[in-house]
């Protein structure tokens, strides 16, 4: 009954809930799935709708490859886009936080499909740069949860996605002027600092892979 109640709440539009609530709801569902009789299938059933929503948002914004050559302001101009992005990124964070040493490969196999659309969202949020913060935090949490626990091939896949995200957003960040904390339509300095910290954390997690483990 408790899991059903959590699932009912998690089914609400992501933008209607605070990011913290989305994180906790997805983490609770993911942990219940991993404790079930068929953990891989149950976890995938939770992860797939999140990935599908991210892909739909990228497609709606005119996005394609992570290099950002295909881009549009449509996502940035949509009134609900920032809240929806934050909600979906919170869901990814919840999914990754449920990871343990014993089920890291299972979690990665199901949830890693969200990595590419997360990277593709970054250039699409150029008109709403503060909305990139939850994207970077989702990738940071994924790298922190998975990097040290995955097989060599899976870790390399994660590292490539993280590198693409950092490279893409660093270029966008360098093009934005320093504006202080009162400007509108640009990126306040406090948000810039949050994004730089998230990128540094991503790099640190990727670099932490023990070479003795083949990383």
């Amino acid at each position: 009954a408790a899991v059903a109640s959590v699932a009912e709440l998690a089914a609400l539009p992501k933008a209607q809930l605070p990011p913290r609530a989305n994180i906790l709801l997805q983490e609770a569902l993911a942990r219940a799935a991993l404790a079930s009789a068929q953990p891989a299938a149950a976890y995938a059933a939770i992860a797939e709708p999140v990935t599908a929503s991210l892909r739909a948002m990228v497609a709606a914004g005119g996005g394609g490859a992570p290099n950002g050559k295909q881009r549009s302001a449509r996502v940035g101009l949509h009134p609900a886009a920032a809240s929806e992005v934050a909600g979906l990124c919170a869901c990814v964070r919840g999914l990754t936080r449920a990871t343990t040493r014993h089920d890291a490969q299972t979690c990665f196999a199901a949830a890693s499909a969200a990595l590419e659309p997360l990277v593709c969202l970054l250039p699409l949020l150029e008109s709403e740069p503060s909305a990139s913060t939850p994207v970077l935090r989702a990738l940071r949490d994924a790298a922190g949860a998975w990097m040290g626990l995955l097989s060599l091939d899976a870790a390399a896949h994660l590292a490539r996605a993280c590198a693409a995200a950092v490279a893409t957003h660093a270029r966008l960040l360098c093009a934005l002027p320093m504006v202080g904390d009162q400007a509108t339509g640009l990126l306040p300095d406090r948000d810039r600092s949050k994004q730089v910290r998230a990128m540094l954390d991503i790099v640190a997690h990727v670099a932490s892979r023990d070479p003795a483990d083949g990383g």
Side-chain angles (χ1 to χ4, degrees):
V3 174
S5 298
V6 171
E8 186 176 346
L9 285 172
L12 293 171
K14 308 309 178 191
Q16 290 186 10
L17 297 172
R20 181 65 177 167
N22 281 313
I23 292 174
L24 294 175
L25 288 169
Q26 290 296 317
E27 182 178 1
L29 289 176
R31 290 188 183 279
L34 292 170
S36 68
Q38 295 181 306
Y43 186 93
I46 298 168
E48 285 168 1
V50 176
T51 299
S53 295
L54 287 168
R55 285 175 172 161
M57 181 165 284
V58 170
N67 60 22
K69 289 182 179 178
Q70 292 177 293
R71 69 185 188 185
S72 166
R74 182 176 175 185
V75 170
L77 294 175
H78 194 288
S83 296
E84 186 68 14
V85 167
L88 290 171
C89 289
C91 291
V92 174
R93 296 177 71 185
L95 289 167
T96 59
R97 287 186 180 197
T99 303
T100 69
R101 180 173 297 276
H102 302 292
D103 49 42
Q105 289 291 153
T106 296
C107 294
F108 184 78
S112 62
L115 295 174
E116 183 176 338
L118 283 173
V119 176
C120 291
L121 273 176
L122 289 170
L124 297 178
L125 294 169
E126 191 171 2
S127 63
E128 189 66 41
S130 293
S132 296
T133 303
V135 178
L136 295 168
R137 286 176 169 173
L139 290 163
R140 176 200 64 192
D141 284 8
W146 291 334
M147 184 55 70
L149 304 177
L150 297 175
S151 67
L152 178 58
D153 288 345
H157 176 77
L158 175 57
R160 285 192 295 270
C162 289
V166 171
T168 297
H169 196 64
R171 286 192 296 268
L172 297 174
L173 206 56
C174 288
L176 291 173
M178 302 291 287
V179 296
D181 287 335
Q182 307 303 318
T184 58
L186 291 171
L187 184 65
D189 287 350
R190 61 179 178 275
D191 289 341
R192 183 188 294 267
S193 296
K194 291 176 184 177
Q195 294 181 5
V196 170
R197 284 198 300 270
M199 289 192 292
L200 291 173
D201 287 341
I202 290 170
V203 172
H205 289 314
V206 172
S208 70
R209 180 66 187 256
D210 188 350
D213 295 331

